[in-house]
Amino acid sequence: MTKTNTVLFTGGTHGNELTGVRLIEHWVSLGAQFTRPGISVKGLMTNPKAVLQRVRFVDEDLNRQFALEQQKSGARDFHEGLIATHLTAQIGPQSAAQPDLIVDIHNTTSHMGATLILLANDRFNQQLARFVFNRMPQCNILLEDEKPFEEHVYLCTLGKRGVMIEMGAQPQGVCRAALFKQSIQLLNHIMDFCALWNTGNVGDLPPCKAYRFVENIKFPLNHQGLVDAMVHPSIQDNDFAPLAPGAPAFIDFAGNAIPLDNTNTVYPHFINEAAYQRSHVAFATATTFEW
């Protein structure tokens, strides 16, 4: 069993997602609560310039710069590329300071509540999911294991293990007190788990309901490449609710409902996420399973 002796909380990976930003800004007063016996916990603001400008990123999305081949490619001459190169050297797999666990803190404009995103289907992640769900049953558990951990593009993959939390709905550039409180609770549950994991005292946890990422769904486009429909009102703000085959997913500007071409029930999430509009992504889909 590999212990989790060093944990790094990261905020500001997206500069306008203020739950993590505020936590790291106030780390001196807030960070001590996450300390557990035998575990070193630190906080890091990953993209201060984007935070200062209150934008998601300056040049390119920092949370899409950490695939293994990107880490090997050397310096990249744009703001977030330079940050990624620096972070990889400082805390990445070849660094002596690589954290055992990175927890990257995010917000979404979608109504996803508290969501814990895990990137590997192994015992640590499974037990973490069960532990968090047992302590915080309103938390959604989302597994993105469509590719190996090290092939993901996310900042948290710089750690030996890495997870993300998504807190929503929260507008960009805003910090909502209720979501901030929930994030503190979720982060403390993660730290409680790490302490129990290290001592072998997690216990026999029952399986939990989880969602497994399938794909990103784009808006319908017309022949000019313009968005030709909106998210249907029946699924708007209903993240992780079932979408049956034939049920409306979009509505065009004339009022006609458009179903998703799915043969099985799926669970949309990141519904109408503001940051994904530039890439025409309307939502992501998932299946559900007992984990």
Side-chain angles (χ1 to χ4, degrees):
M1 180 185 73
T2 303
K3 292 186 177 182
T4 303
N5 297 321
T6 54
V7 177
L8 179 66
F9 289 172
T10 52
T13 301
H14 295 139
N16 56 7
E17 297 179 4
L18 295 195
T19 293
V21 168
R22 295 297 187 231
L23 175 60
I24 303 303
E25 285 178 341
H26 295 274
W27 186 258
V28 171
S29 59
L30 295 174
Q33 68 184 295
F34 303 116
T35 300
R36 300 295 185 275
I39 303 178
S40 171
V41 187
K42 296 180 179 179
L44 176 67
M45 193 80 78
T46 54
N47 195 346
K49 188 174 181 179
V51 171
L52 183 64
Q53 296 182 11
R54 287 293 182 266
V55 293
R56 182 176 174 89
F57 54 82
V58 176
D59 291 324
E60 294 187 21
D61 193 330
L62 180 58
N63 208 34
R64 301 296 185 270
Q65 305 299 323
F66 295 94
L68 193 59
E69 64 271 15
Q70 291 172 302
Q71 294 179 33
K72 294 178 179 179
S73 66
R76 287 164 281 164
D77 192 19
F78 57 95
H79 180 69
E80 280 76 15
L82 294 172
I83 292 177
T85 299
H86 173 75
L87 288 174
T88 299
Q90 294 298 309
I91 61 171
Q94 305 305 315
S95 167
Q98 184 186 29
D100 294 322
L101 176 66
I102 294 178
V103 182
D104 198 20
I105 304 165
H106 290 270
N107 291 117
T108 174
T109 62
S110 304
H111 283 245
M112 289 171 60
T115 300
L116 174 62
I117 301 179
L118 306 167
L119 303 176
N121 187 1
D122 58 20
R123 183 163 179 78
F124 177 90
N125 284 278
Q126 180 198 60
Q127 295 299 298
L128 172 59
R130 292 180 177 185
F131 183 87
V132 166
F133 188 80
N134 181 264
R135 293 282 189 93
M136 194 175 182
Q138 74 272 29
C139 183
N140 297 300
I141 306 298
L142 177 60
L143 176 62
E144 296 187 6
D145 67 340
E146 75 282 3
K147 62 181 71 174
F149 176 78
E150 64 275 4
E151 292 182 14
H152 280 279
V153 295
Y154 306 128
L155 183 148
C156 68
T157 61
L158 288 181
K160 295 174 184 176
R161 295 187 176 104
V163 303
M164 293 176 284
I165 69 169
E166 285 282 355
M167 309 299 299
Q170 181 165 284
Q172 296 171 345
V174 168
C175 188
R176 286 183 164 168
L179 282 175
F180 188 84
K181 181 180 179 180
Q182 270 195 311
S183 73
I184 297 296
Q185 293 171 342
L186 177 50
L187 294 170
N188 269 301
H189 293 327
I190 292 171
M191 292 307 304
D192 286 342
F193 170 80
C194 290
L196 291 170
W197 173 267
N198 287 351
T199 58
N201 291 318
V202 173
D204 186 19
L205 300 172
C208 66
K209 180 180 180 180
Y211 300 92
R212 174 175 270 131
F213 170 79
V214 176
E215 62 179 335
N216 289 318
I217 302 298
K218 293 195 173 186
F219 288 99
L221 303 179
N222 65 18
H223 66 280
Q224 295 176 303
L226 301 177
V227 170
D228 209 26
M230 301 166 284
V231 169
H232 196 275
S234 63
I235 69 168
Q236 179 65 57
D237 301 334
N238 288 317
D239 293 72
F240 295 111
L243 180 65
F250 299 101
I251 184 168
D252 69 18
F253 297 103
N256 301 303
I258 304 171
L260 188 65
D261 185 21
N262 56 310
T263 56
N264 299 300
T265 296
V266 294
Y267 297 81
H269 56 283
F270 283 115
I271 297 172
N272 237 351
E273 162 59 47
Y276 299 164
Q277 300 297 310
R278 66 177 61 234
S279 56
H280 300 324
V281 171
F283 53 85
T285 60
T287 55
T288 187
F289 68 107
E290 290 291 307
W291 194 19

